[in-house]
């Protein structure tokens, strides 16, 4: 028995020693595909962390993006710069691009590679999420910068954003010893390059037809990691594609502008219907959940708060039309404000972060139908006179038909009711019903009326 116990320890130690050796033989491929946003950044950053924990020899970022949000891009670049293993950026497959934010990311990688018939560039930043600031008026004799002239027709804020982006991408170019002059042009002028020309200008390091060709060219490639140089070995490695997990799928769904737009509207409708019919609970709970999820999406999306305010104003006007009919003026104004606010809600030129026009028109028509028509019917139903039960007798006027001893009797809806009154009643006296108590009515005498 003691010998078996010792053998078990040796076997477990052997397994633990073999895990890093096996793990270190896997090259990770992480997809950076579509618009760069919070979900893309989370997927890439978590993938780099897991690859480092597994001691992968290097990581390949397979890039195909039209650009995206500056905040997400900078988070991804920080992760690449802090990575302890080499990161290779590869624009692939043929026909793909690393435009705008993708250009910055490609410049940040240790080795930049592209497939034939791909391109990069168009890295001019676009101000989103805030109104423009007024430009500073030019003064005669004012001191001008020697490095770059001011951009024609641009505001002071646009120049500041552009100069910051130029400094940022030039810093990445100097760090990776790539063409910094073209990088500045890509930001200031929005120029682009195909793969072969990018290689000749020193913007990228490798042109590879596919992953296998890239792996062949990487074998023996020397990468500078800080103050040290590392020689890559890719001849006997396994390739592992980092999958998109449920968390990234969920973030990708809720941060889609169309989904966030639907969620905020469902939330607002839920709260409106809960307020119109308190106590039901389900619309209010669903509405609150949808609003909080939409607010998370909005904080990472280029939202124009003027557009959001116009949407809320439109919904408020359409709701007011249901409660206080104004012959369509409030409803028409609400639909107009809602539609304009929806169109300008996403303040960006990236088509991936804009709301589809058919969806906006559909929700405008749906909102008009639900808020003006349906909610109007609910309000009218609540205001209708009760015609069933006992309570509808309250407020009715009746006439004393007969006396049964000292108890007067009145007829309502074909039935005789005993009534109680503070004043003496006679036949043909007019009374008004004030309350229903048991099987009798409490009335008051209408003086002067018979």
């Amino acid at each position: 028995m003691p010998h078996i116990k010792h053998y078990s320890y040796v076997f477990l130690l052997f397994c633990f020693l073999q895990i890093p050796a096996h793990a270190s033989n896997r090259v990770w491929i992480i997809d950076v595909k579509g618009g760069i946003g919070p979900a893309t950044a989370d997927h890439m950053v978590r993938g780099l962390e897991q690859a480092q924990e597994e001691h992968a020899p290097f990581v390949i970022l397979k890039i195909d993006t039209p650009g995206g949000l500056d905040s997400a891009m900078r988070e991804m670049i920080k992760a690449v710069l802090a990575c302890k293993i080499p990161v290779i950026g590869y624009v692939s497959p043929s026909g793909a691009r690393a435009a705008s934010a993708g250009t910055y990311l490609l410049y940040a990688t240790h080795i930049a590679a592209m497939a034939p018939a791909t391109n990069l560039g168009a890295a001019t930043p676009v101000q989103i999420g805030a109104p423009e600031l007024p430009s500073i008026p030019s003064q005669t004799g004012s001191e001008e910068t020697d490095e770059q002239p001011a951009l024609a027709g641009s505001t002071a804020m646009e120049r500041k954003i552009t100069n910051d982006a130029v400094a940022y991408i030039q810093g990445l170019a100097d760090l990776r010893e790539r063409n910094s002059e073209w990088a500045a042009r890509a930001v200031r002028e929005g120029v682009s390059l195909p793969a072969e020309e990018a290689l000749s200008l020193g913007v990228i390091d490798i042109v590879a037809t596919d992953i296998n060709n890239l792996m062949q060219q990487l074998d023996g490639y020397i990468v500078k990691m800080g103050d040290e140089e590392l020689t890559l070995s890719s001849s006997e490695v396994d390739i592992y594609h980092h999958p998109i997990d449920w968390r990234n799928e969920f973030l990708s769904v809720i941060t889609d502008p169309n989904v966030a737009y639907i969620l905020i509207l469902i939330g607002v409708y839920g709260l409106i219907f809960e307020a119109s019919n308190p106590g039901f609970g389900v619309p209010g709970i669903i509405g609150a959940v949808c609003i909080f999820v939409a607010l998370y999406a909005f904080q990472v999306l280029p939202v124009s708060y003027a557009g959001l305010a116009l949407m809320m104003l439109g919904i408020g006007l359409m709701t007011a039309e249901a409660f206080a009919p104004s012959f369509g003026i409030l409803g028409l104004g609400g639909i107009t404000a809602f539609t304009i606010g929806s169109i300008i809600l996403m303040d960006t030129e990236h088509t991936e972060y804009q709301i589809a026009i058919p969806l906006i028109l559909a929700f405008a028509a749906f909102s008009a139908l639900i808020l003006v028509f349906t909610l109007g019917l609910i309000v009218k139903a609540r205001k209708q006179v009760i015609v069933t039960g006992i309570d509808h007798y309250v407020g009715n006027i009746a006439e004393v038909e007969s006396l049964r001893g000292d108890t007067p009797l009145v007829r309502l809806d074909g039935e005789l009711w005993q009534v109680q009154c503070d004043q003496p009643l006679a036949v043909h006296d007019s009374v008004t019903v004030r309350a229903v108590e048991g099987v009798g009515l409490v009335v008051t005498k209408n003086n002067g009326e018979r």
Side-chain angles (χ1 to χ4, degrees), residues 268-297:
V268 172
Y269 295 152
L271 295 183
I272 289 176
F273 281 104
E274 181 66 27
S276 65
N277 189 20
F280 190 55
V282 175
I285 294 173
I286 295 177
V289 171
C290 289
I291 283 180
F292 282 119
V293 174
L295 288 178
Y296 169 79

Side-chain angles (χ1 to χ4, degrees), residues 93-154:
S94 296
R97 56 178 170 167
S100 192
T103 302
Y104 294 81
L105 180 61
L106 191 63
Y107 260 88
T109 56
H110 298 89
I111 300 174
M114 297 176 69
T118 59
N119 66 282
L120 82 162
T124 304
V126 179
Q127 184 182 5
I128 58 177
E132 289 187 354
L133 295 180
S135 60
I136 301 175
S138 59
Q139 298 178 0
T140 305
S142 59
E143 185 176 341
E144 303 206 0
T145 58
D146 296 332
E147 297 180 359
Q148 291 290 344
L151 298 177
S154 63

Side-chain angles (χ1 to χ4, degrees), residues 265 268-269 272 311-320 334 338 371:
L265 292 181
V268 172
Y269 295 152
I272 289 176
M311 284 180 54
M312 297 300 106
L313 175 62
I315 292 174
L317 290 176
M318 287 186 282
T319 305
F338 177 83
L371 296 178

Side-chain angles (χ1 to χ4, degrees), residues 185-435:
R185 287 188 59 209
V187 176
R188 293 189 184 278
E189 304 173 22
V191 296
S192 298
L193 277 180
E196 290 75 9
E197 192 173 347
L199 180 64
S200 64
L201 292 178
V203 175
I204 63 173
D205 307 299
I206 296 173
V207 172
T209 55
D210 52 26
I211 289 291
N212 292 330
N213 182 246
L214 176 65
M215 299 294 286
Q216 293 174 2
Q217 296 190 52
L218 289 177
D219 192 30
Y221 203 99
I222 299 176
V223 181
K224 187 175 181 181
M225 300 289 296
D227 297 331
E228 300 179 355
E229 290 185 346
L230 177 65
T231 302
L232 300 182
S233 176
S234 57
S235 57
E236 297 179 358
V237 294
D238 298 325
I239 295 178
Y240 171 72
H241 287 267
H242 179 51
I244 298 177
D245 58 14
W246 69 268
R247 184 174 185 273
N248 298 116
E249 290 281 4
F250 177 72
L251 288 176
S252 178
V253 169
I254 65 173
T255 54
D256 182 280
N258 295 301
V259 175
Y261 176 72
I262 294 173
L263 286 174
I264 193 68
L265 292 181
I266 292 176
V268 172
Y269 295 152
L271 295 183
I272 289 176
F273 281 104
E274 181 66 27
S276 65
N277 189 20
F280 190 55
V282 175
I285 294 173
I286 295 177
V289 171
C290 289
I291 283 180
F292 282 119
V293 174
L295 288 178
Y296 169 79
F298 281 168
Q299 74 173 348
V300 296
L301 288 173
V303 175
S304 168
Y305 293 102
L308 185 61
L310 276 173
M311 284 180 54
M312 297 300 106
L313 175 62
I315 292 174
L317 290 176
M318 287 186 282
T319 305
E321 177 70 29
F323 284 90
S326 60
F327 304 101
I329 296 177
L330 291 177
L332 183 61
I335 294 173
T336 303
F338 177 83
T339 305
I340 296 175
S342 300
I343 293 174
I344 68 173
L345 180 62
M346 293 299 163
D347 187 13
T348 177
E349 295 182 357
H350 291 294
T351 56
E352 291 78 8
Y353 290 95
Q354 292 177 352
I355 301 173
I357 297 297
L359 182 65
I360 293 174
L361 297 179
F363 262 97
F366 177 78
S367 300
L369 177 65
I370 292 296
L371 296 178
V372 177
F373 181 73
T374 307
L375 195 58
L377 292 179
I378 294 174
V379 173
K380 290 177 182 178
R382 292 174 63 89
K383 292 182 178 179
Q384 284 183 348
V385 178
I386 301 174
V387 295
T388 60
I390 299 177
D391 292 338
H392 80 282
Y393 289 132
V394 176
N396 283 357
I397 297 175
E399 185 180 273
V400 178
E401 184 175 299
S402 61
L403 297 174
R404 183 180 295 170
D406 296 334
T407 305
L409 300 175
V410 300
R411 187 175 296 276
L412 285 174
D413 292 344
E415 298 179 345
L416 283 174
W417 290 81
Q418 298 180 0
V419 298
Q420 302 175 14
C421 185
D422 295 338
Q423 297 175 287
L425 297 175
V427 178
H428 303 304
D429 281 347
S430 176
V431 296
T432 301
V433 180
R434 297 303 179 195

Side-chain angles (χ1 to χ4, degrees), residues 152-211:
S154 63
T155 65
M157 179 56 69
E158 289 172 344
R159 290 197 296 272
K160 289 175 65 175
I161 293 174
T162 302
N163 290 334
D164 176 72
V166 168
Y168 189 56
I169 199 169
Q170 283 185 326
L172 297 174
D174 294 338
L175 178 66
R176 302 305 185 201
E177 298 180 354
R178 299 199 183 105
N179 192 329
S180 62
E181 293 182 2
W182 182 87
R185 287 188 59 209
V187 176
R188 293 189 184 278
E189 304 173 22
V191 296
S192 298
L193 277 180
E196 290 75 9
E197 192 173 347
L199 180 64
S200 64
L201 292 178
V203 175
I204 63 173
D205 307 299
I206 296 173
V207 172
T209 55
D210 52 26
I211 289 291

